[in-house]
Amino acid sequence: MSMIELNGTTLAYDDLGEGSVVVLLHAGIADRRMWRGQVTALAQHHRVLALDLRGYGDSNLPENPFAHFDDVVGLLDALAIERAALVGCSFGGAVAIDATLAHPDRVTALALFGSAVSGHEWSDEANDLWESLIGDVDDEDFDAAAEADVRFWVVGPGREPADVEPALLEFAREMDRRALAAEAALGNVEVYELDRPAIGRLEEIKVPVLVGAGAADVPDICRLADEIAARVPGAVRLPDVPDAGHLLPLERPAVVNEALLAFLP
């Protein structure tokens, strides 16, 4: 693990391999450890930076206003890296898209798995699914909230917990408990957003884009992957990966690695 100071806060990241640079950006229910199945495989061909976003994992909580997408470029600046490919899952995908729109000259390619998009609004169907599967959860009870998140996102509405490897579920719960604490603390800090959210600007993305999702993910996520692929010029939409939920790179690393190694510049 390496540490670097950006805008008054110390951020943690892993730095492995040599070659063209790839930055891995984790989901909002996780931290950089969710990429444990990708780092070594990608580092055989690329320099891989797996970043804990500000407040998450081993990165410190911020005191000053900041933007996650600026932190991505701040890391590149600090390491004297001109351009990098960005790989994001869920919230990390939204950060990767925002970084591409805010700093288009710094990004060589985008790979998005189960990606969110800033400005996207969840459907009534997604809200109804949460209510039917989970119901009310005390947001201050991180154990209960993590259990709910993992049931909804990692298992997915079309599977049962028994369908997923128990060790993966426990690892996801542990990461999410830490992520929930981070999100609670981040609620007290000003986090800058794009002037115009990415959902209205996808056509502006000019780099190669790869889009994928797990077939067992929440339907909104699969539809959002379709929308990204349809609206970003030249984007490639992978087939949904069978028996995989929201943390697709963690659950099906071999499929993701094969796609990434074929795609990344």
Side-chain angles (χ1 to χ4, degrees):
M1 179 178 71
S2 300
M3 307 292 288
I4 198 161
E5 185 166 317
L6 294 178
N7 189 24
T9 299
T10 302
L11 303 187
Y13 65 99
D14 297 320
D15 186 348
L16 292 90
E18 297 180 354
S20 60
V21 180
V22 179
V23 181
L24 305 178
L25 301 171
H26 60 80
I29 60 172
D31 54 51
R32 76 185 194 281
R33 292 176 295 164
M34 70 159 283
W35 300 106
R36 64 187 185 182
Q38 281 70 53
V39 170
T40 300
L42 295 181
Q44 304 303 310
H45 307 275
H46 302 274
R47 181 179 179 184
V48 180
L49 306 175
L51 174 67
D52 273 338
L53 293 167
R54 192 174 295 240
Y56 290 86
D58 294 313
S59 290
N60 290 344
L61 292 168
E63 297 180 0
N64 304 320
F66 75 102
H68 287 296
F69 54 84
D70 286 337
D71 279 348
V72 174
V73 173
L75 176 66
L76 299 183
D77 287 341
L79 298 177
I81 296 169
E82 183 177 351
R83 303 179 78 201
L86 305 182
V87 179
C89 178
S90 187
F91 174 64
V95 173
I97 293 169
D98 286 353
T100 303
L101 291 169
H103 306 280
D105 58 326
R106 307 300 299 275
V107 178
T108 59
L110 270 177
L112 307 168
F113 299 99
S115 187
V117 180
S118 62
H120 170 261
E121 295 185 5
W122 297 108
S123 70
D124 291 340
E125 177 191 1
N127 294 327
D128 291 343
L129 276 173
W130 179 274
E131 287 301 319
S132 65
L133 278 175
I134 308 299
D136 294 331
V137 178
D138 181 358
D139 291 339
E140 296 183 1
D141 184 343
F142 292 159
D143 287 338
E147 188 69 36
D149 278 346
V150 169
R151 173 64 185 90
F152 188 74
W153 292 108
V154 181
V155 176
R159 299 191 293 182
E160 296 297 327
D163 298 329
V164 184
E165 182 185 348
L168 185 146
L169 294 180
E170 183 51 42
F171 182 48
R173 291 186 196 101
E174 190 271 324
M175 286 195 295
D176 191 39
R177 282 191 288 267
R178 295 180 67 180
L180 287 163
E183 289 179 355
L186 287 167
N188 298 316
V189 180
E190 184 176 6
V191 181
Y192 297 136
E193 299 179 354
L194 288 179
D195 291 338
R196 291 184 295 120
I199 195 64
R201 302 176 57 187
L202 294 174
E203 290 82 1
E204 297 177 27
I205 297 175
K206 304 304 181 186
V207 298
V209 174
L210 182 71
V211 188
D217 205 340
V218 177
D220 268 32
I221 290 292
C222 296
R223 288 194 290 265
L224 190 54
D226 290 339
E227 182 175 356
I228 295 168
R231 292 179 51 198
V232 174
V236 174
R237 174 71 160 96
L238 294 171
D240 289 342
V241 178
D243 195 25
H246 196 52
L247 296 184
L248 173 58
L250 180 63
E251 191 170 7
R252 297 287 178 258
V255 174
V256 170
N257 292 348
E258 181 180 5
L260 286 174
L261 289 170
F263 169 74
L264 291 169

